[in-house]
Amino acid sequence: MIPDHLRLELERRVSSAVTNREAAVDVMKELQRHFGWLTDEAVLIAAELLGLSPLQVEELATFYEMIYRRPVGRHVIHVCDSISCWSVGGETLLKKFEKLLGIEVGSTTSDGQFTLLPCCCLGNCGNAPAVMVGRRLYGPLTPESAGTLLEELLDTHR
Ligand code: FES
């Protein structure tokens, strides 16, 4: 179930898109924002709104790495592992996040605050190594500034 206002907004976006597939990412992102991740229920709702089968929505969801098909933490840290970031210390940065958070990449901290994921180029190569949290880009980060970023993110919810 989603609130009427959200359903109306999503129906409006679908009807204003040229094709339903064009609206798919938008719909999935909004449902993800509502549920915290793209739950099975959200897949069914998206399929109904878009006139697609649940399997088609699944396929689209797995294509986009910012759509989460399993529960994630309050903050999802996407660490770029593409060439520009990798060549200036992206791997070291990722290891530092793993150490600071006490988790391996692909996992969520036990308090539910952070999920750490690798990702493809964020289009922020000029500020490599780069990460994205929510809609915000950060970089260039160092192993030292990684800890500062985590503190800042925690502070935003204190
Ligand atoms: S390679 Fe990392 S932002 Fe482009």
Side-chain angles (χ1 to χ4, degrees):
M1 279 289 277
I2 54 173
D4 289 344
H5 69 87
L6 177 57
R7 177 171 288 276
L8 287 172
E9 172 60 20
L10 294 177
E11 285 172 352
R12 186 192 65 73
R13 291 191 197 188
V14 172
S15 65
S16 62
V18 177
T19 66
N20 286 8
R21 277 178 179 270
E22 184 188 299
V25 175
D26 208 17
V27 167
M28 288 190 293
K29 280 191 173 171
E30 287 304 322
L31 289 170
Q32 176 167 278
R33 209 181 320 279
H34 176 71
F35 288 102
W37 56 289
L38 196 72
T39 61
D40 290 345
E41 181 187 359
V43 169
L44 294 176
I45 294 169
E48 178 211 326
L49 287 165
L50 294 162
L52 300 172
S53 72
L55 182 60
Q56 287 172 310
V57 173
E58 288 273 7
E59 285 170 354
L60 287 167
T62 52
F63 188 73
Y64 294 97
E65 54 191 6
M66 304 290 169
I67 300 289
Y68 316 123
R69 281 292 284 128
R70 58 191 169 120
V72 290
R74 183 187 294 267
H75 306 286
V76 182
I77 303 172
H78 293 271
V79 182
C80 175
D81 63 3
S82 293
I83 187 68
S84 296
C85 289
W86 179 83
S87 65
V88 291
E91 204 173 342
T92 307
L93 180 64
L94 183 61
K95 293 273 176 232
K96 182 69 178 186
F97 275 120
E98 285 184 321
K99 191 170 176 198
L100 288 169
L101 295 170
I103 58 173
E104 292 186 354
V105 66
S107 312
T108 298
T109 54
S110 57
D111 63 2
Q113 285 293 329
F114 296 102
T115 296
L116 184 63
L117 297 173
C119 69
C120 296
C121 179
L122 293 163
N124 195 28
C125 314
N127 293 311
V131 308
M132 180 181 244
V133 185
R135 295 178 180 174
R136 194 157 167 207
L137 288 165
Y138 299 86
L141 287 181
T142 62
E144 294 70 37
S145 61
T148 308
L149 173 60
L150 295 181
E151 282 167 21
E152 279 174 23
L153 291 169
L154 281 175
D155 279 346
T156 59
H157 286 94
R158 276 192 186 132

